[in-house]
Amino acid sequence: MKVIYYILFLSALFHFPLIYGQETDYNKKVTELINRQDWSAANEVMQNHKNNISQETAQIAQILINTNMNRPVKAISELKKLLEQEIEDDNWFLFLNGILLENYDNLHDYQGSQSICTNLLNSKRFPKEIQEDIARRKAAYQSLTNHPKFQVKKIRPDTCFAYTYLPFSHTITSMSKCNGIDASFIFDTGSSMSTINESSVGRLKIKVLQNDSILINGTTYGKRGLIDSLQVGNYIFYNYPITILPSKKHQFSIEDSILSNKAKATINHLENTDLILGMPCLRFIEECQINSKKMNITLPSESSKFPMKLPMQLPNNRLYLKTKIDDINFIGFFDTGSESSIHINNSFYKKNSHKLPMQGNTPQTIRTLRFNGPEILSVYPLQPVQTNIVKKPLKEVFVLTQDEYDHDGNIGNFIFKEADNIIFNFKEMWIHLEERKEVKNK
């Protein structure tokens, strides 16, 4: 259904001029922002100028904004009202149901997802290949509905617990309770799924779902499992679905010989960590305060209030941060599991090259870690740039030779060495950083 959703998202853009074809500037403005998938900016226009936007525009815009700003309950309510109307266009009907399905999936409400698939199949409005894809999705949801429903509970107001970094990196790892058993986890905003190493399944008493698998990346499939209870701080996730990573220790090849022993130690430690908690889990934690000076994580009972905040957005369980690079708007894939500062897509650079001078015309080689192991990238370093992430100019900003990411590029976990406090608010979708103070020698 994800593939169908992406295709229909593009086709639905052709509906927007019809729906948003109004004379006022704010209708056009919110349409442009939605077509660019700049959800935080569209949200701001809707909040400040809702009375100047047509009812038809406001209705669909709010649904899309809520879907991509981590408000699935609101999006579902609005979609149900819209789908009560007679919708003649088959593509539009499938598009709206695809968004509804995505929101149910984000809540792990598989009974709701199964019901949508049933309604779509009963409508008999689509070609055979789409019907077959919906039928496969329905079968997968059916196996999940045979188990108790997913729930999230807070068991006490606040909690604070320690964390460490993976060796020679700034990837956060800490401890949780998985079915009452100590389990290590990685805090990874760059992962659009939560996973468990196959070697940990037996010890942590994971329920393995039979005849059910999911594509992890390109060619790798993993089984699905269920965790009866997963406690992270003061949050308990009941009947949490998890993807089981096949046991495949990375065998270092001759090509990997350029990797330092430090990088190899990081990879080995990563492969021995029990869980990777990605955005399907983290999105339910309302606020997460990371103190990199004290090396602890606080999950508070109420949202913090800060005047200076950077907006985040969450399409398809992929976290993005909106910032500025030398006063140019930049939406970057925000990956706390990526050992990097900022990587800029080549197309973004070409569009703004007159404002972003390079250090030279000679590419550099950098090493990064991907799911299948280490990867070597050829990049062009920029001269130090100013951002609104930290006050001091950033030196390690690189231009990629091609487009590797959605939107404008990638933002890595360098923030944990540049800031003393990093507050993620996944409920209101913003981040606040308190920059590290330099200690002067007397």
Side-chain angles (χ1 to χ4, degrees):
M1 183 58 73
K2 286 283 186 186
V3 173
I4 295 172
Y5 175 82
Y6 293 137
I7 294 170
L8 288 174
F9 183 84
L10 295 173
S11 67
L13 296 184
F14 293 103
H15 284 73
F16 289 162
L18 300 177
I19 295 174
Y20 302 143
Q22 313 295 325
E23 296 180 359
T24 61
D25 289 339
Y26 292 118
N27 281 281
K28 293 179 181 179
K29 182 66 175 176
V30 78
T31 305
E32 291 169 359
L33 293 169
I34 286 173
N35 287 352
R36 292 208 304 263
Q37 300 183 50
D38 188 344
W39 303 111
S40 59
N43 184 55
E44 186 176 350
V45 172
M46 285 289 292
Q47 287 179 337
N48 295 333
H49 305 287
K50 193 168 185 177
N51 293 336
N52 298 319
I53 298 173
S54 70
Q55 183 178 352
E56 294 86 355
T57 301
Q59 186 179 34
I60 189 64
Q62 197 61 66
I63 287 170
L64 293 169
I65 290 167
N66 287 339
T67 298
N68 292 284
M69 296 290 287
N70 198 20
R71 305 170 195 156
V73 175
K74 288 184 178 180
I76 287 170
S77 175
E78 292 156 352
L79 278 160
K80 284 183 173 180
K81 291 177 184 177
L82 184 57
L83 286 166
E84 287 174 357
Q85 306 170 18
E86 187 66 29
I87 299 174
E88 295 181 0
D89 186 278
D90 289 345
N91 284 338
W92 191 239
F93 178 74
L94 183 57
F95 172 70
L96 293 175
N97 276 281
I99 301 172
L100 184 58
L101 184 63
E102 180 183 353
N103 280 286
Y104 274 121
D105 282 355
N106 288 338
L107 291 173
H108 306 298
D109 183 347
Y110 300 116
Q111 288 183 340
S113 299
Q114 183 187 8
S115 176
I116 294 167
C117 290
T118 299
N119 292 339
L120 288 170
L121 291 170
N122 290 341
S123 72
K124 299 180 180 179
R125 296 175 66 166
F126 312 110
K128 180 181 177 182
E129 60 272 16
I130 293 180
Q131 294 268 43
E132 290 174 349
D133 185 75
I134 295 170
R136 284 192 293 269
R137 297 287 295 188
K138 181 182 176 182
Y141 293 132
Q142 178 64 49
S143 68
L144 289 164
T145 57
N146 293 329
H147 300 275
K149 215 173 175 183
F150 167 77
Q151 295 181 68
V152 184
K153 289 185 179 179
K154 266 188 179 181
I155 55 174
R156 53 183 182 271
D158 294 350
T159 190
C160 182
F161 52 96
Y163 77 84
T164 59
Y165 294 120
L166 291 181
F168 314 109
S169 82
H170 285 85
T171 297
I172 286 177
T173 179
S174 189
M175 297 300 295
S176 64
K177 287 283 186 182
C178 181
N179 294 329
I181 303 165
D182 288 343
S184 57
F185 74 87
I186 289 171
F187 178 94
D188 190 357
T189 64
S191 179
S192 58
M193 62 176 62
S194 294
T195 63
I196 181 170
N197 278 326
E198 190 174 38
S199 58
S200 302
V201 167
R203 180 176 65 84
L204 297 178
K205 302 178 181 177
I206 306 300
K207 292 179 182 174
V208 180
L209 303 182
Q210 300 301 318
N211 303 318
D212 193 359
S213 62
I214 186 170
L215 183 63
I216 298 173
N217 83 320
T219 58
T220 304
Y221 281 84
K223 295 180 180 178
R224 290 189 208 246
L226 279 177
I227 300 176
D228 289 338
S229 69
L230 173 65
Q231 183 175 346
V232 181
N234 54 349
Y235 285 81
I236 301 184
F237 301 81
Y238 294 101
N239 310 305
Y240 183 66
I242 195 88
T243 300
I244 301 170
L245 290 179
S247 289
K248 182 183 176 183
K249 298 294 184 183
H250 183 79
Q251 301 298 317
F252 295 103
S253 63
I254 295 174
E255 289 78 12
D256 297 333
S257 61
I258 59 173
L259 286 174
S260 66
N261 289 329
K262 291 181 179 180
K264 292 178 181 178
T266 301
I267 294 170
N268 288 329
H269 197 90
L270 175 64
E271 291 174 339
N272 288 305
T273 303
D274 295 314
L275 304 165
I276 295 176
L277 299 185
M279 288 313 303
C281 174
L282 301 177
R283 68 186 300 150
F284 291 97
I285 296 175
E286 294 178 0
E287 184 168 302
C288 178
Q289 302 175 356
I290 298 174
N291 188 312
S292 63
K293 197 172 184 179
K294 296 181 180 179
M295 299 286 284
N296 62 35
I297 297 173
T298 300
L299 306 181
S301 57
E302 297 181 0
S303 293
S304 305
K305 304 295 180 184
F306 295 104
M308 297 296 293
K309 298 177 289 191
L310 298 178
M312 301 190 297
Q313 54 192 50
L314 189 58
N316 304 310
N317 276 317
R318 292 173 63 83
L319 188 68
Y320 293 86
L321 175 64
K322 185 176 180 181
T323 181
K324 287 182 181 291
I325 295 179
D326 282 350
D327 287 327
I328 306 167
N329 284 331
F330 179 87
I331 300 177
F333 177 52
F334 193 11
D335 186 357
T336 58
S338 172
E339 294 299 320
S340 64
S341 55
I342 297 177
H343 292 164
I344 295 175
N345 279 341
N346 195 267
S347 61
F348 178 87
Y349 173 74
K350 285 181 178 178
K351 189 165 57 176
N352 300 286
S353 58
H354 59 292
K355 297 181 181 179
L356 299 171
M358 287 185 179
Q359 289 187 22
N361 296 322
T362 305
Q364 292 184 4
T365 296
I366 61 172
R367 301 166 182 84
T368 185
L369 297 179
R370 295 282 178 96
F371 176 79
N372 289 324
E375 184 173 358
I376 301 169
L377 295 176
S378 181
V379 297
Y380 292 89
L382 290 181
Q383 292 184 18
V385 301
Q386 203 70 46
T387 71
N388 55 0
I389 298 176
V390 293
K391 292 180 181 178
K392 68 179 184 180
L394 286 181
K395 297 179 181 179
E396 294 184 353
V397 180
F398 301 99
V399 178
L400 298 163
T401 55
Q402 60 187 8
D403 288 356
E404 297 278 352
Y405 302 98
D406 297 335
H407 283 291
D408 303 325
N410 176 69
I411 300 171
N413 59 22
F414 77 98
I415 60 171
F416 297 126
K417 61 180 178 180
E418 298 290 349
D420 283 338
N421 286 292
I422 305 98
I423 293 91
F424 292 86
N425 191 300
F426 296 118
K427 182 180 180 181
E428 299 173 11
M429 292 305 293
W430 52 259
I431 186 172
H432 170 79
L433 297 100
E434 296 174 6
E435 193 167 358
R436 181 153 295 167
K437 297 177 180 177
E438 298 291 339
V439 179
K440 295 182 180 181
N441 294 325
K442 293 184 179 181

